[in-house]
Amino acid sequence: MAYIGSSIASLFIAFSIGRASSALPQKVLPDPPTLDGPHFRFTIVENKGWSDIRENEDGEMEFSGYSVDIIRSVASRANFTFDMLPPSGHGALCEQDNSFITDAYDSRYRGKYLCGQGDVQDKELRNTTYASDFYQGMFYITPKRRLLNKFTTPFVPPSDGGLQLFGTATHIRNIDDLIRQQVAGKTRPVCLKANTAYADFVRNSIPDLDVVDANYGVDAPEDFHRLLSEGNCDLLMIPKPIVTRAIKLLSEANFCQANGKPIGLVGDALDYGFTQFGIGVRKDMPTEVIDTMDYWMNHLMTCPPTEDTCDSFSVLYAEVTGNGNECGYEASPQEDTLGFW
């Protein structure tokens, strides 16, 4: 009987605690943040697949690609409108070619990252028609850029944005292997895209690596094939997500081999240095705007792709990238005898 009595008492206590806890005020999350419909200008730097710029039959510019889809998806939820423009060419960072006179927004500036950055950060442009509020187009978030601009939260994917080697060289697991091959005269200099933040980073952080500047379009498989075939270099180093797309483009264009050797990812991506991409923001942008954009970017990075209302970044990203294996490259083919193994 004592046991039954204690059990009844325990049930009564538990019931009383349950009633008391249910009477406590429940924590309610605030509504997701939205803005009151402001209008912004985005400078889009062309990088095919990531940010495409085309002119329609009426001569109007049309923008598409992963970087552009991010803006559209966030804007519809954060409640702001926007215009998209290519780089104006009037920013102080934009290298002018004095051999010709160009109008503002000339197509020659579309793929120039410094030109796009300048439209946002240059104080001299602030009160002109060339000023912009944001820049987008697979921009690395770098310490130098952070001193001059604000950034949104990094967007994912890509989850691995480190610098990656690709080309035809083999038996290279890391940068130390590559430097050893260069010293032995087995591998040519690495091609770096001229006038990029990561080219400067590689020169400063890996001084023993033999590199050379190269001009090429990241969307042009014939440019990659030309550099690897004509003896300029055996390897290029660019951000890994752009590398995987490049190899996909090479495969689609039947440019999978250079001098009889397959092209592919070579070694591991750098696990230090520039790894994150974000949207550049002018320095005086109100914090409320960036916080609201960050919230919706985070939502779209984490919502299930199967959810009808989710424009999942992972789904948008999968439409443009490759896996890096499309050309059948082998890192350590048996017939390759360099004398290192």
Side-chain angles (χ1 to χ4, degrees), residues 208-231:
D208 293 333
L209 185 66
D210 190 9
V211 299
V212 62
D213 278 340
N215 290 305
Y216 55 86
V218 294
D219 61 302
E222 61 271 17
D223 285 352
F224 297 127
H225 191 262
R226 171 180 53 80
L227 289 169
L228 295 171
S229 297
E230 294 181 356

Side-chain angles (χ1 to χ4, degrees), residues 47-122:
N47 191 333
K48 294 293 181 66
W50 311 105
S51 43
D52 297 305
I53 305 175
R54 297 185 179 91
E55 293 184 11
N56 62 23
E57 295 178 353
D58 297 325
E60 298 174 337
M61 282 181 284
E62 297 180 340
F63 298 82
S64 61
Y66 178 57
S67 299
V68 173
D69 289 340
I70 287 175
I71 296 170
R72 291 197 173 108
S73 297
V74 171
S76 66
R77 292 163 172 80
N79 189 32
F80 64 82
T81 58
F82 57 89
D83 289 327
M84 292 186 180
L85 297 164
S88 71
H90 281 247
L93 293 175
C94 193
E95 290 189 356
Q96 301 292 332
D97 186 341
N98 295 323
S99 65
F100 56 84
I101 298 175
T102 60
D103 296 326
Y105 305 108
D106 187 89
S107 60
R108 294 178 179 88
Y109 301 127
R110 290 183 182 178
K112 297 184 180 296
Y113 276 66
L114 291 178
C115 296
Q117 188 177 332
D119 286 353
V120 173
Q121 74 182 41
D122 284 6

